[in-house]
Amino acid sequence: IIGGCVSLTHDWTEKLSSTGVYSFAYRPEADADPPETPRLANYVAVNLIWEPIENTTLGIEYLYGTNETQDGDFGDANRIQASVQYNFP
């Protein structure tokens, strides 16, 4: 299996930041593999995090992923999620 991941975080302001991530995994076909065995997967995510007040963050994130099997079937998925976090002092 061959795979990797790279990410980058950028602070737009003191209270606003983003992170972007890309990862992949590749598995060469083996003779004994069933046809539905994953062959190639990709994943991308980007977010925006805001700290409006001390100890509180609000965030939104977009994620996209793909998966291809040894027999060529392909699937992909999109997701948007949000978060609210409070850190008790």
Side-chain angles (χ1 to χ4, degrees):
I1 295 178
I2 300 168
C5 180
V6 63
S7 68
L8 176 67
T9 299
H10 179 72
D11 293 327
W12 301 102
T13 68
E14 192 174 292
K15 295 189 174 280
L16 193 65
S17 66
S18 293
T19 298
V21 177
Y22 170 74
S23 67
F24 77 97
Y26 172 75
R27 185 179 185 278
E29 187 173 357
D31 292 336
D33 286 344
E36 66 276 1
T37 301
R39 183 181 74 82
L40 177 64
N42 289 282
Y43 174 83
V44 176
V46 292
N47 68 22
L48 185 63
I49 306 294
W50 178 44
E51 185 182 351
I53 58 175
E54 189 176 352
N55 296 322
T56 304
T57 58
L58 307 172
I60 189 161
E61 183 171 50
Y62 170 73
L63 304 98
Y64 176 72
T66 64
N67 185 39
E68 184 179 338
T69 61
Q70 299 291 358
D71 64 358
D73 284 345
F74 179 84
D76 66 342
N78 294 281
R79 182 171 71 195
I80 295 175
Q81 61 188 25
S83 67
V84 176
Q85 177 178 323
Y86 179 76
N87 296 318
F88 293 94

